Every structure is written in structure tokens, then in C-alpha cells.
Amino acid sequence: MADAADWPSLIIELAKSTKSDWVALSQGSEQLTIRELAERMQKTAAALRDGSGPVMISTPDALLHTTAVLGAGAAGRPALMVDSRVPDQLALEIYRRTRATALIGRDLPGLIALSERELNERLPIQPVGRSGDAINTMLLTSGSTGVPKVVQRSISADFAASHNLQILGYPLGEGDRYLLMVPFASAVFITILMGVIILRSTVVIGAFGEDLGQRFADQHISGAYCVPTMLRLAQLHDGLQGPGWDGLRGLMVGGEQLDAESRERLAKYFPDAYLFYGMSEHPNVALARPQDLLERPGCVGLPLPMRDLRFVHPGTQDDVEQSKEGQILLRGPELFSGYVGEEPIGDWFATGDIGYRDKDGFLYVTGRVNDQVNVGGNRVSTVEVSALIDAHPEVLSCAVVAIDDPVWTTKLIAFVVRAEGAELLADDLVSWLKSRTTAYRIPRAIYFLDRLPVDTSGKLSRQTLVKWAIEAEKCSM
């Protein structure tokens, strides 16, 4: 792929250079070979070439999503990837905020999406040439109030990120099948979907099921990406053992840190698993093996080559002492170009994670600057969820805490004080939240109080709320 400098030219080179027309994408009974993928990409580019501005792509159809993202790039336009589960009101606001000018995959009030027929009726065209710093993709962050931030990623950054599996010697090649069970309207598309295609393997799109090992066996899967919650649920089903698990050569795990039991299980059954630490702003930062995590609790691995890290006092540019905890600042080849509507990020990106490096160079992540937690592999800010609930007209005040959960890692618990005269019920509040945010950000339990507890200094006593949440959950079992 020496001549390729972006995704469209890479797909065309793969389609021309391969001896056999292998299946690149499979979803249910549908599939696209690499040559079909290249042709659809070029037809989509023809349908989009007369316009300018970002193309919003929001569909549960992985084949349409992939051809649309690649086709937008081939037409010289940024691909704005929005999960199809994002509520219409929020999707519309994102469309307007990013100044998108085309829509693919879903209809929104006042907008009409381009149909698959319109995308496939044109004659294929050659990709438009663009500079490496041009915006290639736009991704939503995990913000839960108002409109999430929109990450802008350049052609060069995306191209670098998609080659990491090849560089790291990921053990898949032509004839292998890789199961992808997480939302693809995210950095997963950049780092995994494109990375697996570059290896000439087939990406199989499917929904998660607890009978994961059996699905691996039935579909001849040799590689997969799982968040720890998936592994814990599958462990309860079959103990991560059997023909499907035995045939798995390329297990990748990411999305959150592993609990002690999962670390031990992975080290025993999958010692060669790839454990990644990264984010939408820079998808691949560090890589660990299960034994690394066993020997170094809290570790997320060794930083990959060409990644520079600094540790500073939160909210400043002042470095902390060597091996001391600080806010992690990062720069590297996959770094994003900045958020829509904000100033460029400069030389260093402040990740929002707190951590340090030990004497051997291993990176540890010990917390979040803004109280973010992981719920089933999704980053969620308790502060932002609380602010969203506070916006309800019948809520006077609210606080959200996170407590441990054996399956989902953490669960959110909300404590709410009603406005005077309000008769708000938990079910009503949940319905209101469902129209404004995604399911994993909605608290698993809501308790109403006359007032929120405070400590001796008059500040909110989060410690008291956590204690009450744990006690309430025990009583409900």
C-alpha cells in the first residue's frame, strides 16, 4: 500500500492488488467483497461530489455506513458519524452545529436523507485528492448534556490509526473472520474496522449475545473486540471455554479497565490478548498484555511508539514530579485536529485522565478529572448526568453517584429533590431522559429526597450518597 495516503486510495489499491475478491464486510445475509466495497464507495462519491460540507451518516446498517464514510472521503467531504440511536432532537442539533449539508441513513424533521438508490445509481469516479490535514471524520464525544463535543480528525490521523493492527503484527490475514459487536459510528471504525480490512480479513458485524463462544464457533470467528462487560456476561454462560473460544487467535479488549477477576481469567485463557487504551481524540495510546495487568494493577500498558506523554497538575501546564500522579497530556500521530466550534488544541491534548508512568515506562490511569466512570464500556460523567436531570422543570436539585456493579462495572444512582409542589415519579423522569440521551447514561435507580445531604463545610456529601446508594441496592436484591 505504498502509494496510498488516504482510505479511498487504500481501498482501491486493495481491490486491484488482491488475487481473489475476498469478502471485506458481512452483516447477516448481506456481504460486500473488497471490489464491491470499492465500487460502492466510488458511486457514493459521485453522488456527493457536487456538494460541500460534512455528510452526516447515521444508520444501523454497517454496510451502508462503511460505504458512506468512505464515499464521503472520496468526494472530498468530512464524514460526520452519528450513532443511529441518538435521539432526533439531538441529531438535528449536531447537524446544524457542524454545518452538515447532506444526510445518509435516517430521516430527520425537515431533512431528507439520500437513499441507497441515489448513492448507487451514479457511475464510479476516482477519489478527490486532499491534503493530509483536511478533516476526514467527525465523531461525537460521550457528553450527556446539551450537544456532545464533536471531534474532528484529519486524513493523516485516521490513516495512521487504521494501520496499527498491521504494525503491531495482529495475527489475522486473508480468510480470517473478525466479529465486531460494538457501535461502529465511533473510533472503532477508524481503529478496528479499517484495520481489519487492511489485513485482508472479513469484518463480521453482529450484536452481542451471552452465548459468545458458540457464535464464534458457528461463524468461524478468529478475532473479536470485547469490552470487559461482554466477557463477564459470557463467562457466566460458558466460562470462556469451548471450541469457539479455543479457535480465537486475536482477542482485543478495550473500553474500560479490567477488574481483578477478569484480569486473572484473561491471563489464564488468553495470554496473548491485545488490551488497548485510547480515546476518540487519539485512538491508540498504549498496549498491554493480560500478564502486564496482573503484575501491575491499574496499568494500561506501554505507550506505543511516537506517543509523547506529560503529567501535569490538573487544569495547568505545570508538570508534576516524576512518577507522581497528574493529568495526562498527550501528542502523537493519531491526534485529532480539535473540537468543532473551539480553538485548535495546540501541541498537547489534555486527556481528562489522571495517571502516571512507573520506572519501567508503563502507563497507569488512576481516575478522571471530571468524575467520569465506565458503564458497560461507555464513559459517563456523573456530573453531566446530574446536570441533565437538573434541567427537568420539576427537579429542584440532583446528585448522581456511581457504585460497583458485578456485570456493568458501575451503575448510576440518582438522588433527586423535587421542585415545590411537583409530583414527579421515577418512571416519568426516566421517560424524559430517554428522549434526551442514550440508555447507558440513564441512572439504574432514582431516589427522591427532601434535601441533599451536606458535610460540615456545607458542601454536598457524596460519601453519604454513595453509602445510601449501596444500602438501597442491598435492600432491593
Side-chain angles (χ1 to χ4, degrees), residues 20-89:
S20 58
D21 191 16
W22 49 275
V23 175
L25 281 170
S26 176
Q27 179 178 249
S29 60
E30 296 183 272
Q31 62 182 36
L32 284 178
T33 67
I34 189 62
R35 292 172 188 164
E36 289 171 336
L37 176 59
E39 182 180 30
R40 285 205 194 178
M41 173 190 74
Q42 292 176 276
K43 286 183 176 181
T44 300
L48 296 172
R49 67 177 170 183
D50 295 331
S52 61
V55 178
M56 178 184 277
I57 300 156
S58 185
T59 172
D61 185 333
L63 276 61
L64 174 59
H65 175 89
T66 304
T67 55
V69 170
L70 294 172
R77 303 173 66 175
L80 170 60
M81 300 194 281
V82 176
D83 195 301
S84 61
R85 297 169 297 180
V86 169
D88 283 358
Q89 182 180 358

Side-chain angles (χ1 to χ4, degrees), residues 292-439:
D292 296 330
L293 274 56
L294 273 186
E295 296 172 353
R296 301 173 171 85
C299 163
V300 296
L302 284 170
L304 295 170
M306 296 186 293
R307 277 71 171 167
D308 295 323
L309 300 174
R310 287 176 56 201
F311 303 88
V312 301
H313 295 284
T316 75
Q317 291 291 317
D318 301 327
D319 293 296
V320 300
E321 296 178 25
Q322 189 172 1
S323 298
K324 297 294 184 181
E325 286 187 356
Q327 183 175 7
I328 301 172
L329 269 58
L330 166 70
R331 65 183 179 188
E334 303 170 19
L335 192 61
F336 76 130
S337 301
Y339 300 111
V340 168
E342 297 188 12
E343 294 293 322
I345 58 169
D347 294 333
W348 293 89
F349 168 59
T351 66
D353 283 337
I354 299 293
Y356 67 96
R357 290 182 76 172
D358 66 15
K359 60 181 179 61
D360 298 318
F362 283 86
L363 175 62
Y364 294 71
V365 176
T366 57
R368 291 287 298 173
V369 173
N370 59 350
D371 294 313
Q372 282 202 352
V373 296
N374 272 295
V375 178
N378 300 286
R379 283 183 175 176
V380 183
S381 167
T382 56
V383 173
E384 290 180 341
V385 174
S386 177
L388 179 59
I389 295 174
D390 276 335
H392 192 287
E394 293 186 54
V395 171
L396 177 64
S397 59
C398 169
V400 175
V401 297
I403 62 175
D404 292 341
D405 183 88
V407 173
W408 300 100
T409 303
T410 55
K411 66 171 67 173
L412 301 180
I413 308 295
F415 292 89
V416 176
V417 178
R418 297 184 183 94
E420 186 176 358
E423 298 180 354
L424 181 66
L425 300 177
D427 288 346
D428 296 330
L429 182 54
V430 168
S431 296
W432 186 83
L433 290 170
K434 283 181 178 178
S435 69
R436 288 163 173 79
T437 190
T438 47

Side-chain angles (χ1 to χ4, degrees), residues 163-171 274 276 284 287 289 304-305:
H163 280 75
N164 267 287
L165 296 183
Q166 185 181 54
I167 294 169
L168 293 171
Y170 188 66
Y274 287 67
F276 284 103
N284 302 286
L287 171 67
R289 299 295 190 177
L304 295 170

Side-chain angles (χ1 to χ4, degrees), residues 116-346:
E116 283 195 73
R117 180 185 61 78
E118 292 174 289
L119 297 175
N120 289 313
E121 66 183 4
R122 303 288 189 94
L123 292 175
I125 64 168
Q126 290 301 307
V128 173
R130 292 190 291 168
S131 65
D133 59 1
I135 300 303
N136 188 51
T137 55
M138 304 167 78
L139 316 173
L140 303 190
T141 63
S142 58
S144 58
T145 62
V147 180
K149 289 185 177 181
V150 180
V151 172
Q152 300 181 103
R153 298 187 51 81
S154 71
I155 290 174
S156 295
D158 280 351
F159 196 70
S162 59
H163 280 75
N164 267 287
L165 296 183
Q166 185 181 54
I167 294 169
L168 293 171
Y170 188 66
L172 264 64
E174 191 166 351
D176 285 313
R177 291 165 58 83
Y178 184 99
L179 182 60
L180 187 59
M181 303 168 286
V182 294
F184 40 83
S186 64
V188 167
F189 182 96
I190 296 162
T191 60
I192 298 179
L193 190 147
M194 284 300 297
V196 172
I197 289 176
I198 288 170
L199 295 174
R200 294 181 171 85
S201 298
T202 300
V203 179
V204 180
I205 304 295
F208 170 74
E210 295 179 14
D211 59 339
L212 199 49
Q214 188 61 53
R215 295 179 64 198
F216 289 158
D218 292 344
Q219 299 184 49
H220 308 289
I221 299 299
S222 46
Y225 175 89
C226 296
V227 298
T229 298
M230 292 179 181
L231 292 177
R232 287 192 286 270
L233 291 170
Q235 157 67 24
L236 296 174
H237 183 79
D238 61 15
L240 307 186
Q241 297 182 69
W245 295 103
D246 294 343
L248 203 64
R249 301 197 312 276
L251 176 63
M252 279 192 276
V253 182
E256 60 181 294
Q257 288 184 281
L258 288 161
D259 58 273
E261 186 176 349
S262 295
R263 289 196 297 267
E264 293 176 1
R265 191 172 293 119
L266 278 176
K268 179 179 180 180
Y269 295 119
F270 306 101
D272 296 325
Y274 287 67
L275 312 176
F276 284 103
Y277 163 70
M279 58 210 70
S280 298
E281 292 85 350
H282 196 298
N284 302 286
V285 178
L287 171 67
R289 299 295 190 177
Q291 191 62 32
D292 296 330
L293 274 56
L294 273 186
E295 296 172 353
R296 301 173 171 85
C299 163
V300 296
L302 284 170
L304 295 170
M306 296 186 293
R307 277 71 171 167
D308 295 323
L309 300 174
R310 287 176 56 201
F311 303 88
V312 301
H313 295 284
T316 75
Q317 291 291 317
D318 301 327
D319 293 296
V320 300
E321 296 178 25
Q322 189 172 1
S323 298
K324 297 294 184 181
E325 286 187 356
Q327 183 175 7
I328 301 172
L329 269 58
L330 166 70
R331 65 183 179 188
E334 303 170 19
L335 192 61
F336 76 130
S337 301
Y339 300 111
V340 168
E342 297 188 12
E343 294 293 322
I345 58 169

